[in-house]
């Protein structure tokens, strides 16, 4: 199947899921995660109408961005080393893994405009996953007010891979509750309306639990390790 065909199928799926949980399908945006594929395939995704591109590696994204950066919105979804911020700051529209003040400081310092960030929360509390803990979230958000360029547009999490995606539900539900809590505080620097959650194996659960950005690689643009 071409990316266009897969995207059409995914859109139908999103519409179906949104319908059954009473959401408007337009609230759910698809980020095509192109980390496994080359520039040609990334261009194919843009040509298919995908408006959001996600990359998780500084080096992996640069070549694609140089050729295609004028098109679409670019999301940096991986963990980001502070010293590499200057390489990516002007290329990406969103950063999904803000998880420490040193990173906020560097993003703020290097940017000449607002930087749209998702705070990454380690809801599942896996050692291997980055992100701040639930308990630290509100104090962290409060401290971000000190960095004038930082705008917290939402929260992001990664669930563990489960054979049965239903097991991710409590994680996604918790992230939504945290989002509601932060949004409710009404901080000017943290409108926090978005929820970046759900990947190829668990996006349907994420949508049911309120995702506004789903990050899809394998089932949309392909993954050489899996297909
Ligand atoms: C790779 C990756 C994805 C996409 O994963 P798939 O299972 O291939 O859809 C989403 N989010 C992040 C942060 C990733 O690193």
């Amino acid at each position: 199947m071409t990316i266009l065909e897969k995207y059409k199928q995914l859109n139908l799926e999103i519409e179906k899921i949104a319908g059954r949980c009473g959401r408007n399908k337009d609230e759910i945006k698809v980020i095509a995660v192109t980390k496994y594929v080359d520039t040609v395939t990334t261009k194919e995704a843009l040509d298919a109408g995908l408006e959001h591109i996600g990359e998780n590696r500084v080096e992996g994204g640069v070549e694609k961005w140089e050729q295609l950066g004028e098109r679409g919105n670019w999301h940096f979804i991986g963990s980001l080393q502070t010293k590499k911020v200057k390489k990516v700051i002007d290329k990406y529209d969103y950063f999904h893994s803000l998880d420490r003040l040193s990173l906020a400081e560097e993003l703020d310092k290097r940017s000449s405009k607002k930087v749209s960030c998702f705070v990454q929360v380690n809801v599942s509390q896996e050692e291997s996953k980055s992100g701040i803990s639930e308990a630290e979230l509100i104090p962290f958000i409060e401290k971000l007010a000190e960095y004038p360029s930082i705008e917290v547009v939402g929260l992001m999490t990664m669930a563990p891979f489960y054979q049965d995606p239903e097991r991710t539900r409590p994680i996604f539900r918790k992230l939504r509750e945290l989002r509601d809590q932060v949004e409710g505080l009404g901080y000017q620097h943290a409108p926090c309306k978005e929820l970046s959650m759900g990947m190829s194996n668990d996006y349907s659960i994420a949508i049911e639990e309120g995702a506004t950005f789903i990050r899809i690689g394998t089932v949309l643009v392909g993954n050489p390790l899996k297909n």
Side-chain angles (χ1 to χ4, degrees), residues 31-36 54-56 76-79 96-97 120 156-158 161 196 198-203 214-223 226:
I31 301 174
V33 176
T34 51
K35 66 185 184 193
Y36 317 106
E55 279 285 330
N56 72 333
F76 195 87
I77 61 171
S79 51
H96 284 245
S97 51
Q120 183 171 359
M156 177 271 208
T157 201
M158 281 179 83
F161 180 87
S196 167
M199 310 182 3
S200 289
N201 68 313
D202 55 19
Y203 69 82
I214 55 174
R215 310 179 307 265
I216 311 291
T218 306
V219 300
L220 181 60
V221 296
N223 174 351
K226 295 195 178 164

Side-chain angles (χ1 to χ4, degrees), residues 1-15:
M1 257 202 291
T2 64
I3 293 179
L4 180 61
E5 287 164 337
K6 288 188 204 165
Y7 185 34
K8 281 187 180 160
Q9 204 175 59
L10 178 63
N11 273 330
L12 287 174
E13 192 65 26
I14 291 171
E15 200 172 330

Side-chain angles (χ1 to χ4, degrees), residues 31-139:
I31 301 174
V33 176
T34 51
K35 66 185 184 193
Y36 317 106
V37 301
D38 61 11
T39 305
V40 173
T41 308
T42 305
K43 179 174 179 296
E44 196 185 327
L46 287 162
D47 291 343
L50 281 145
E51 292 172 5
H52 299 272
I53 299 292
E55 279 285 330
N56 72 333
R57 302 290 283 273
V58 171
E59 289 74 18
V62 168
E63 188 200 322
K64 289 168 191 153
W65 185 87
E66 275 166 0
Q67 298 191 40
L68 305 167
E70 297 289 296
R71 304 174 56 188
N73 300 289
W74 289 67
H75 297 250
F76 195 87
I77 61 171
S79 51
L80 180 56
Q81 286 178 275
T82 306
K83 65 176 184 204
K84 293 194 175 168
V85 164
K86 57 179 177 297
K87 290 193 181 159
V88 292
I89 187 73
D90 295 329
K91 300 185 173 66
Y92 287 86
D93 302 294
Y94 295 89
F95 292 87
H96 284 245
S97 51
L98 179 54
D99 59 356
R100 57 194 192 280
L101 291 177
S102 57
L103 180 58
E105 185 179 354
E106 183 70 6
L107 287 165
D108 180 56
K109 187 170 118 192
R110 299 280 174 190
S111 180
S112 48
K113 53 176 172 46
K114 284 265 183 239
V115 190
S116 299
C117 298
F118 290 81
V119 171
Q120 183 171 359
V121 188
N122 188 0
V123 180
S124 61
Q125 298 182 316
E126 283 180 290
E127 295 256 347
S128 61
K129 292 225 157 55
S130 45
I132 65 167
S133 69
E134 288 170 35
E136 288 170 302
L137 178 64
I138 304 288

